[in-house]
């Protein structure tokens, strides 16, 4: 329970950090309600709706509501999917209000020692350092390749963990060897007539656990006619920090990335993870109060482009693409759709593949329940949301669920495993799917990226 001093600290932090003008932009019309997964899944509980959360924020700022555990619970249960922003006729930037509220709570809250240690390990000592990410994921690779994973599953050791974590452990991709993760290309030439020069934001998880998808991304860009620069000094995008109340650390990583990419004179900065892209494109807002960085952040943000957007711009969908006969459906990345406003491009690409029958999933743009680390810290609600998503996916009769974000990909694989559908259905990142389609149609044997 919060004591009086703690409540006073949090309330003062709300007054200092919350954009009150943005709160007042909300007209309480309720258009956001049907779009909010937690509102729907809690049986239409207003406390867990965007409108309800804004009312709580306003109440705390005004002093009409105490910053209680119930208020914290409402803020924590939000997925941060930003579907409410797309639905809002007044254009309320709810995602920014959510980050401000979490910043106020977590930077002013007397957290327990275990929570402080956990947040310190991940937010301060792991994600900002790619070498440490490589080291940790390298250990995961050893666990997978050495037989320890099979032994842990066979002996029942994994039963000590929650069900969602046990299932997630099964569906994690095979992690590359440490040497492979450290030996990454920094400059690649186009494999057709050059149309653009781009920089690639490789990310932290994407360039370790999902390294194969990053390789597929650069290969697609090469086929599409792009020269590619991959700045070595880039860092984690800072999204997990920003969404979890660690805004100061998010700002530091933003500055590192801006500096790293300024040296590359490119047309675009390409991302292949919806969550990363949506945060990168708002660096201008993140650093708006910093005179030294504001203009630089604005220049950086304007160059951010999702891989699907640049492929459509370069008319990749008009090239030969082919796969075996199958039905495919698409699960939107919330932040790709609601943050980067990228909706039609993935569908355009999928619908252009010969032999593939694209079937739109009902509520394809409703969050799958992954939401960064949400499926770990809010497992019950996450699984409730995932159950609904899998019900809609099965109705499409699709063999493949395509996604555009690593968290979504793992969540959909988890859903497939939970439903016992592993022999009937698979989930795949869109760039892996498109690369297979292009190379099959053009008779190309898969190979490593071609370095400059």
């Amino acid at each position: 329970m919060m004591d009086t001093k703690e409540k006073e600290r949090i309330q003062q932090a709300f007054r200092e950090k919350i954009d009150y003008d943005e709160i007042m932009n909300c007209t309480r019309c309720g258009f956001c309600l049907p779009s909010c997964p937690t509102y729907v899944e809690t049986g239409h509980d207003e406390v867990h709706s965007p409108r309800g959360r804004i009312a709580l924020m306003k109440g705390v700022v005004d002093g009409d509501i105490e910053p209680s555990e119930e208020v914290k619970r409402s803020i924590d249960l939000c997925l941060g999917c930003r579907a409410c922003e797309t639905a809002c006729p007044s254009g309320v930037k709810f995602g920014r209000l959510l980050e401000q509220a979490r910043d106020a709570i977590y930077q002013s809250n007397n957290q327990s020692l275990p929570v402080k240690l956990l947040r310190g390990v991940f937010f301060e000592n792991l994600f900002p350092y790619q070498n440490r990410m490589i080291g940790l994921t390298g250990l995961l690779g050893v666990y997978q390749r050495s037989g320890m994973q099979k032994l842990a599953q066979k002996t029942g050791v994994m039963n000590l963990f929650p069900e969602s974590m046990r299932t997630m452990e099964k569906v994690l991709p095979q992690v590359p060897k440490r040497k492979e993760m450290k030996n990454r290309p920094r400059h690649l030439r186009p494999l057709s007539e050059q149309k653009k020069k781009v920089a690639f934001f490789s990310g932290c998880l994407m360039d370790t656990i999902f390294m194969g998808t990053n390789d597929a991304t650069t290969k697609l860009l090469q086929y599409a006619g792009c020269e590619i620069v991959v700045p070595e000094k880039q860092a984690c995008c800072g999204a997990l920090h920003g969404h979890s109340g660690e805004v100061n650390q998010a700002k530091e990583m933003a500055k590192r990335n801006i500096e790293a990419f300024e040296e590359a004179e490119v047309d675009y900065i390409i991302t292949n993870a919806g969550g990363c892209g949506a945060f990168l494109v708002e660096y201008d807002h993140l650093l708006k109060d910093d005179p030294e960085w504001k203009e630089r952040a604005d220049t950086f943000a304007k160059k951010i482009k999702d891989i699907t957007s640049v492929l459509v711009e370069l008319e990749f969908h008009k090239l030969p693409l082919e796969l075996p006969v199958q039905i495919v459906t698409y699960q939107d990345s919330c932040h790709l759709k609601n943050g980067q406003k990228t909706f039609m491009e993935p569908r355009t690409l999928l619908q252009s593949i010969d032999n593939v029958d694209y079937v739109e999933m009902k509520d394809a743009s409703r969050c799958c329940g992954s939401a960064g680390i949400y499926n770990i810290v809010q497992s019950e609600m996450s699984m409730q949301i995932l159950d609904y998503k899998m019900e809609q996916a099965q109705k499409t009769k699709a063999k493949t669920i395509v996604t555009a974000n690593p968290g979504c990909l793992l969540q959909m694989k988890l859903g497939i495993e939970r439903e016992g559908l592993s022999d009937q259905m698979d989930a795949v990142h869109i760039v892996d799917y498109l690369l297979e389609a292009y190379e099959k149609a053009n008779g190309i044997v898969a190979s490593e990226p071609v370095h400059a």
Side-chain angles (χ1 to χ4, degrees):
M1 295 293 290
M2 298 181 187
D3 59 28
T4 302
K5 288 185 178 180
E6 189 174 352
K7 289 178 180 178
E8 289 175 354
R9 282 196 300 270
I10 294 176
Q11 187 171 48
Q12 183 59 33
F14 264 73
R15 288 171 177 161
E16 293 173 356
K17 297 176 183 292
I18 294 290
D19 185 342
Y20 201 77
D21 289 339
E22 194 67 56
I23 281 181
M24 296 308 294
N25 284 337
C26 177
T27 62
R28 302 351 183 223
C29 68
F31 276 97
C32 61
L33 300 181
S35 71
C36 177
T38 55
Y39 174 74
V40 173
E41 295 298 335
T42 56
H44 300 169
D45 186 345
E46 275 278 2
V47 172
H48 298 303
S49 73
R51 180 171 69 178
R53 291 182 175 108
I54 288 175
L56 289 177
M57 293 177 200
K58 183 178 185 298
V60 172
V61 173
D62 291 342
D64 298 328
I65 297 174
E66 288 190 338
S68 62
E69 290 292 343
E70 288 74 20
V71 172
K72 180 177 178 296
R73 167 68 175 160
S74 174
I75 299 299
D76 284 344
L77 199 63
C78 179
L79 291 143
C81 68
R82 298 171 61 181
C84 53
E85 292 187 17
T86 300
C88 180
S90 301
V92 175
K93 302 294 185 183
F94 182 82
R96 294 176 183 177
L97 289 173
L98 178 67
E99 289 178 5
Q100 291 161 7
R102 286 179 172 167
D103 187 25
I105 290 171
Y106 286 103
Q107 295 305 315
S108 305
N109 191 12
N110 284 333
Q111 300 166 17
S112 65
L113 183 59
V115 171
K116 283 184 178 179
L117 289 173
L118 189 63
R119 292 174 72 89
V121 167
F122 283 97
F123 293 136
E124 295 178 26
N125 297 297
L126 181 59
F127 285 107
Y129 303 100
Q130 189 66 358
N131 280 339
R132 296 177 189 178
M133 288 291 297
I134 290 173
L136 183 63
T137 50
L139 290 176
L140 176 59
V142 171
Y143 167 75
Q144 291 175 330
R145 292 187 295 272
S146 66
M148 291 173 62
Q149 182 178 34
K150 291 181 179 178
L151 182 63
Q153 293 171 352
K154 187 176 181 180
T155 58
V157 170
M158 292 307 300
N159 292 332
L160 298 172
F161 297 89
E163 180 189 356
S164 60
M165 289 187 69
R166 295 198 303 269
T167 310
M168 187 67 76
E169 185 261 357
K170 290 182 182 179
V171 301
L172 282 173
Q174 288 296 307
V175 177
K177 294 179 180 178
R178 181 185 175 93
K179 183 178 179 181
E180 294 172 328
M181 289 187 280
K182 291 183 76 70
N183 185 28
R184 307 297 289 131
R186 297 296 169 191
H187 190 196
L188 302 105
R189 65 174 184 266
L191 295 176
S192 60
E193 179 185 354
Q194 182 165 336
K195 299 176 182 177
K196 297 287 180 182
K197 181 181 180 182
V198 302
F200 178 49
F201 183 83
S202 53
C204 45
L205 286 176
M206 288 304 300
D207 216 35
T208 50
I209 293 178
F210 296 95
M211 193 182 84
T213 299
N214 267 7
D215 287 344
T217 303
T218 53
K219 180 60 74 68
L220 280 179
L221 290 169
Q222 288 178 289
Y223 285 139
C226 292
E227 177 186 354
I228 310 160
V229 178
V230 188
E232 187 173 2
K233 295 180 181 178
Q234 62 180 293
C236 169
C237 68
L240 287 178
H241 299 77
H243 300 329
S244 302
E246 303 287 345
V247 176
N248 288 335
Q249 290 182 51
K251 288 179 179 179
E252 288 307 308
M253 278 180 283
K255 292 174 183 178
R256 284 172 58 185
N257 282 322
I258 291 168
E259 208 162 38
F261 281 86
E262 279 177 335
E263 298 174 7
E265 297 181 1
V266 295
D267 300 301
Y268 302 125
I269 299 170
I270 305 299
T271 68
N272 62 2
C276 295
F279 199 73
L280 293 168
V281 82
E282 293 199 342
Y283 272 5
D284 56 340
H285 174 76
L286 184 67
L287 297 172
K288 64 182 175 60
D289 297 323
D290 191 323
E292 181 185 349
W293 290 90
K294 181 180 179 180
E295 187 175 337
R296 296 165 72 180
D298 183 62
T299 301
F300 176 92
K302 286 177 179 176
K303 290 187 176 183
I304 298 297
K305 205 173 188 71
D306 183 70
I307 175 68
T308 59
S309 293
V310 76
L311 288 178
V312 170
E313 180 181 326
L314 298 177
E315 299 189 330
F316 187 82
H317 57 293
K318 295 182 179 180
L319 300 177
L321 300 170
E322 178 189 345
L323 283 173
V325 175
Q326 61 186 276
I327 297 174
V328 65
T329 193
Y330 178 70
Q331 163 61 26
D332 282 288
S333 157
C334 296
H335 285 155
L336 182 58
K337 177 180 181 289
N338 303 318
Q340 290 181 268
K341 310 303 180 187
T342 301
F343 178 77
M344 281 308 302
E345 291 89 335
R347 290 165 169 81
T348 297
L349 290 162
L350 293 174
Q351 290 168 357
S352 67
I353 303 174
D354 289 344
N355 301 327
V356 168
D357 183 11
Y358 176 80
V359 178
E360 182 76 7
M361 187 195 315
K362 180 184 177 184
D363 292 330
S365 58
R366 182 185 291 186
C367 186
C368 64
S370 173
I373 58 172
Y374 188 94
N375 56 5
I376 297 174
V377 298
Q378 300 289 346
S379 179
E380 183 178 350
M381 178 57 72
S382 175
M383 293 304 103
Q384 193 172 327
I385 292 168
L386 178 58
D387 287 343
Y388 175 81
K389 181 62 63 176
M390 290 309 303
E391 182 182 340
Q392 306 315 313
Q394 289 180 70
K395 287 178 181 178
T396 67
K397 302 187 183 304
K399 175 186 176 183
T400 307
I401 304 173
V402 175
T403 73
N405 188 60
C408 302
L409 177 60
L410 288 180
Q411 185 80 340
M412 299 314 298
K413 283 182 174 291
L414 189 154
I416 292 169
E417 184 72 24
R418 274 166 53 90
E419 295 294 327
L421 298 171
S422 298
D423 59 338
Q424 305 170 38
M425 183 183 285
D426 191 18
V428 63
H429 193 289
I430 190 166
V431 298
D432 295 304
Y433 197 71
L434 289 172
L435 180 63
E436 182 182 354
Y438 180 86
E439 293 189 334
K440 177 175 175 57
N442 292 277
I444 300 171
V445 178
S447 59
E448 295 297 317
V450 178
H451 298 209

